Amino acid sequence: GILRARGVRGLILAPVPDVVHLPEFPWEYFAAVTICNMLLTPRFHRLQTEHGENLTICLAEMEKRGVQRIGYVADAKVDRRTGNLAVSRFAFHQLGLPAKRRIPPLIWDTWKAGEFASWLERYKPDAVVCQGESGVPPHAVLQQRRYRHIHFCLVAAQLHLPQIAGALPRHELLGAKAVDLVSAAIAHHDYGPPAEPRTLYIPGVWREAIR
């Protein structure tokens, strides 16, 4: 009621940490887009970082460094929230490698440093690509002397963690495109959930670690 009284006709729904259903909201009065894929009901046009392409960017950067054995680790919740795009791309990449270079992903529901260390000792990766909220827990383990030779990067690098390399999401572009989509919908009086919701994926750009 407050939004309508103030003449607000467009909504940009920010990322949320878990699956959301909002069927009771009066969407018919608003043009809306989401910047994530966790709003399941109703479905709107949505934008999100192309985590699969980000994973490819990370792999390419590691291979430039001559890395042969690359491992993938992820927080299961984050992997699901991003549509499993990164782990799917990693699995496809592994199929094209000789068996001796393949490393099974480590996906955790609850972070356990000992489990990560055991995985490192068993598979001996030369580089680790991480999909997580910050990557800080595995990065901290790799700061131990015995692991410092292992390269580390994030599928979604964080602005507040410049010391960790990775594919940096272009949040400013995601925001600008969201405004464009909502503005176009308002101009065409296209309110409520669209009949054919679309998804726009935007890849990130590589950022080196700042020591």
Side-chain angles (χ1 to χ4, degrees):
I2 293 172
L3 292 173
R4 292 186 64 198
R6 294 182 177 180
V8 174
R9 302 308 305 271
L11 303 176
I12 297 174
L13 307 178
V16 292
D18 214 333
V19 170
V20 175
H21 298 273
L22 297 172
E24 303 303 323
F25 190 81
W27 297 109
E28 66 273 15
Y29 298 112
F30 303 95
V33 299
T34 64
I35 306 182
C36 71
N37 64 353
M38 299 305 283
L39 178 61
L40 298 188
T41 309
R43 297 299 296 269
F44 289 99
H45 299 316
R46 64 190 185 193
L47 305 97
Q48 72 177 81
T49 299
E50 220 297 31
H51 291 268
E53 183 61 25
N54 280 14
L55 188 279
T56 297
I57 291 169
C58 290
L59 294 176
E61 289 293 333
M62 293 301 100
E63 289 172 351
K64 284 181 184 178
R65 292 156 171 75
V67 171
Q68 292 292 304
R69 292 176 56 76
I70 304 174
Y72 175 84
V73 300
D75 182 316
K77 190 172 184 178
V78 176
D79 226 26
R80 287 193 297 270
R81 193 167 73 226
T82 55
N84 301 115
L85 295 173
V87 70
S88 300
R89 188 73 63 92
F90 181 78
F92 182 78
H93 174 264
Q94 292 263 294
L95 290 175
L97 298 176
K100 64 181 181 180
R101 290 180 56 191
R102 297 177 189 172
I103 298 177
L106 172 65
I107 312 294
W108 67 82
D109 289 307
T110 302
W111 166 254
K112 297 176 182 177
E115 182 181 19
F116 179 53
S118 296
W119 178 84
L120 291 172
E121 295 292 343
R122 179 175 182 180
Y123 296 107
K124 296 178 169 51
D126 301 314
V128 173
V129 181
C130 176
Q131 174 72 295
E133 291 290 4
S134 67
V136 169
H139 184 258
V141 173
L142 293 178
Q143 297 310 296
Q144 298 177 26
R145 186 183 300 275
R146 66 190 302 177
Y147 300 131
R148 286 183 184 173
H149 65 284
I150 299 175
H151 299 274
F152 182 77
C153 64
L154 292 171
V155 174
Q158 304 294 308
L159 288 172
H160 68 288
L161 295 170
Q163 71 275 25
I164 304 179
L168 189 67
R170 291 186 284 176
H171 293 128
E172 71 287 351
L173 184 56
L174 282 166
K177 292 297 182 183
V179 171
D180 288 346
L181 286 175
V182 170
S183 298
I186 293 172
H188 291 89
H189 303 285
D190 187 9
Y191 300 112
E196 298 180 0
R198 300 186 299 274
T199 301
L200 176 63
Y201 292 102
I202 297 178
V205 292
W206 179 256
R207 185 198 65 187
E208 292 286 355
I210 300 173
R211 305 299 180 184

